[in-house]
């Protein structure tokens, strides 16, 4: 798109005074007057059109069932009004005669402005489509991925369109864009190398949203860190540790390291190794095993799938292995406290003694 400036001198009336027939900067008074009148008239016309759209057109679109026409009118009125003003400016300058270099300069300027205005028009049309069809779908979805990715994708697409529009505008204006593209390619490569960690973290964030290894308020363990997920971002995730501190974890770590989701465990396995003294009788050992099984059954925070075994002969105790599972929806520490207290109460009431490290020394008298 190349604009060719054509000089059109205004007809000078015979009755015009002599001073108006003089030439200022290669144009007569009437040439300047007509061009300035066109510019002022276009501004007034743009203002009237802007008022007309807000006063009548928008009221008509508000009565329709769809919101698309309302969004389109709101998005398109500014590029259209500015397009009218730009066309009037071009027409006004096109009537004037300057030097060849000035004419060529204005031709390039108007070429760039026209194409950028068209690019702006296209971007606003796409934005209106996104607002009408994509945004409601994102708001209804349960995933947080689309909520965080949509603004980023919109900015990326808009940036690409503006870049393409600028390249087309400069190319039509006569600039050598191949050198510019080559420079952008080299600069983009350097930028990509410098920002590879950021890109890695962004892709890691996308994978977190897609794979969903955890969600907000889940407790996770990763790379020696243990905490509750408070915020999942596109570049990093925030954990609140058991000590109450906030840790910001780059999302790239979720791609390189295994993630343990503690909150997704169906039950919490607890292993107890109890030791009774060697004075414990077989009957007492059987009673102890039966008591442990019943304690697990009676506790509502624990499943019925407990395991009890007389499994070892220790140096100073007979070992009992007791395995039980705490339900995931109950507080783990509370359940453990209840279980341990009940074991202590029932074992003490039954006269079962817990062993502790002891040594017995036998002295043999020599006659």
């Amino acid at each position: 798109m190349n604009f060719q400036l054509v000089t059109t001198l205004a007809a000078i009336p015979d009755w015009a005074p002599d001073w108006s027939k003089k030439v200022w900067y290669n144009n007569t008074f009437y040439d300047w007057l007509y061009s300035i009148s066109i510019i002022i008239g276009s501004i007034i016309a743009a203002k009237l059109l802007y008022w007309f759209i807000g006063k009548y057109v928008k009221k008509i679109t508000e009565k329709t069932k769809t919101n698309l026409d309302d969004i389109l009118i709101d998005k398109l009125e500014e590029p259209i009004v500015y397009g009218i003003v730009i066309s009037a400016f071009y027409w006004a300058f096109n009537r004037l005669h300057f030097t060849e270099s000035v004419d060529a300069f204005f031709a390039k300027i108007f070429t760039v402005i026209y194409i950028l205005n068209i690019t702006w028009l296209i971007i606003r049309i796409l934005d209106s489509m996104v607002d009408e069809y994509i945004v409601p779908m994102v708001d209804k979805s349960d995933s947080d991925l689309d909520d965080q990715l949509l603004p980023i994708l919109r900015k990326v697409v808009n940036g690409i369109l503006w870049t393409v529009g600028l390249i087309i505008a400069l190319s039509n204006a006569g600039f050598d864009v191949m050198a510019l593209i080559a420079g952008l390619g080299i600069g983009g490569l350097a930028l990509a190398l410098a920002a590879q960690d950021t890109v890695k973290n962004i892709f890691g964030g996308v994978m977190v949203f897609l794979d969903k290894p955890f969600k907000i308020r889940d407790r996770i363990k990763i790379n020696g860190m243990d905490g509750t997920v408070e915020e999942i971002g596109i570049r990093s995730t925030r954990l609140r540790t058991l000590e109450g501190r906030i840790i910001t974890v780059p999302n790239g770590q979720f791609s390189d390291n295994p993630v343990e989701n503690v909150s997704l465990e169906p039950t919490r396995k607890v292993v107890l190794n109890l030791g009774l003294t060697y004075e414990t009788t077989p009957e007492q050992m059987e009673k102890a095993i039966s008591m442990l099984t019943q304690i697990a059954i009676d506790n509502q925070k624990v499943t019925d799938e407990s395991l009890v075994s007389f499994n070892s002969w220790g140096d100073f105790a007979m070992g009992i292995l007791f395995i039980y599972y705490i339900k995931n929806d109950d507080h783990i520490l509370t359940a453990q406290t209840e279980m341990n207290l009940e074991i202590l109460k029932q074992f003490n009431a039954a006269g079962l003694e817990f062993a502790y490290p002891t040594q017995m020394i036998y002295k043999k008298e020599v006659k």
Side-chain angles (χ1 to χ4, degrees):
M1 182 187 299
N2 289 313
F3 293 102
Q4 299 295 329
L5 293 177
V6 179
T7 302
T8 304
L9 296 177
I12 302 176
D14 295 334
W15 50 264
D18 294 337
W19 61 266
S20 65
K21 298 178 182 179
K22 294 180 62 176
V23 175
W24 289 284
Y25 298 101
N26 298 327
N27 297 279
T28 65
F29 167 77
Y30 288 99
D31 290 323
W32 288 106
L33 179 62
Y34 290 159
S35 295
I36 293 173
S37 300
I38 292 172
I39 293 174
I40 295 175
S42 68
I43 294 175
I44 295 173
K47 290 285 186 180
L48 291 174
L49 178 61
Y50 202 83
W51 172 82
F52 179 78
I53 292 175
K55 185 72 174 179
Y56 297 102
V57 178
K58 287 187 176 180
K59 288 186 177 180
I60 295 174
T61 57
E62 288 175 358
K63 298 178 181 179
T64 59
K65 296 181 179 180
T66 179
N67 292 326
L68 180 59
D69 49 4
D70 301 273
I71 298 174
L72 282 173
I73 291 297
D74 184 62
K75 295 287 186 180
L76 299 183
E77 59 177 339
E78 291 183 5
I80 292 175
V81 170
Y82 288 149
I84 293 174
V85 176
I86 293 170
S87 299
F89 268 80
Y90 168 70
W91 181 22
F93 279 103
N94 192 32
R95 299 189 74 263
L96 299 175
H97 177 70
F98 300 99
T99 62
E100 185 176 347
S101 60
V102 173
D103 291 344
F105 172 76
F106 279 122
K108 293 179 179 180
I109 290 295
F110 281 111
T111 299
V112 173
I113 293 175
Y114 263 116
I115 296 178
L116 291 182
N117 190 67
I118 294 173
T119 303
W120 186 31
L121 178 68
I122 294 173
I123 290 174
R124 290 178 74 91
I125 291 175
L126 290 178
D127 282 341
S128 64
M129 297 298 179
V130 171
D131 291 336
E132 175 64 16
Y133 298 109
I134 306 299
V135 171
M137 295 172 58
V138 170
D139 292 338
K140 293 179 182 178
S141 67
D142 297 330
S143 174
D144 295 329
L145 171 64
D146 42 18
D147 295 317
Q148 299 201 32
L149 284 184
L150 181 59
I152 296 175
L153 291 176
R154 290 180 75 162
K155 290 181 180 178
V156 170
V157 172
N158 289 347
I160 293 174
L161 290 176
W162 276 117
T163 302
V164 172
L166 181 60
I167 292 175
I168 294 175
L170 294 177
S171 177
N172 281 272
F175 293 95
D176 185 9
V177 296
M178 296 306 297
L180 177 61
I181 294 175
L184 290 175
I186 297 174
L189 179 60
L191 181 63
L193 292 175
Q196 56 183 341
D197 289 339
T198 301
V199 174
K200 178 182 178 181
N201 291 330
I202 291 175
F203 276 103
V206 172
M207 296 309 299
V208 167
F209 285 114
L210 292 177
D211 294 341
K212 296 181 180 179
F214 53 83
K215 62 182 183 296
I216 295 177
R217 291 184 293 276
D218 279 356
R219 179 185 170 190
I220 65 172
K221 294 181 179 180
I222 177 174
N223 202 20
M225 294 173 285
D226 186 352
T228 303
V229 179
E230 288 209 342
E231 181 181 340
I232 304 174
I234 193 63
R235 195 194 67 84
S236 62
T237 296
R238 292 187 177 183
L239 303 181
R240 185 174 293 276
T241 65
L242 302 181
E243 294 82 11
R245 304 185 184 99
I246 290 292
I247 297 179
T248 302
V249 184
N251 287 334
Q253 292 199 24
F254 298 112
S255 302
D256 299 335
N257 300 284
V259 181
E260 181 182 353
N261 192 324
V262 180
S263 299
L264 289 182
E265 61 181 3
T267 55
R268 171 63 63 87
K269 180 181 178 180
V270 179
V271 179
L272 289 180
N273 288 289
L274 305 175
L276 299 180
T277 63
Y278 272 95
E279 287 75 22
T280 304
T281 64
E283 292 76 14
Q284 288 179 315
M285 180 63 73
E286 291 178 353
K287 185 176 182 180
I289 293 174
S290 176
M291 289 169 59
L292 291 172
T293 302
Q294 191 61 41
I295 288 173
I297 294 174
D298 293 340
N299 195 307
Q300 298 299 317
K301 296 181 176 65
V302 176
T303 67
D304 296 337
E305 301 174 354
S306 61
L307 300 173
V308 187
S309 172
F310 175 21
N311 70 328
S312 67
W313 301 91
D315 293 335
F316 50 84
M318 294 183 290
I320 299 177
L321 176 65
F322 181 32
I323 301 175
Y324 63 91
Y325 300 89
I326 300 174
K327 297 176 182 178
N328 189 45
D329 56 352
D330 288 295
H331 197 284
I332 294 171
L333 297 180
T334 303
Q336 284 183 286
T337 301
E338 292 178 0
M339 291 291 291
N340 290 336
L341 283 175
E342 193 62 29
I343 293 172
L344 182 61
K345 291 177 183 178
Q346 294 196 24
F347 273 42
N348 287 342
L352 299 172
E353 295 186 23
F354 293 102
Y356 52 88
T358 57
Q359 284 185 336
M360 296 185 67
I361 300 176
Y362 294 91
K363 183 179 180 182
K364 185 178 181 181
E365 293 184 0
V366 180
K367 294 182 180 181

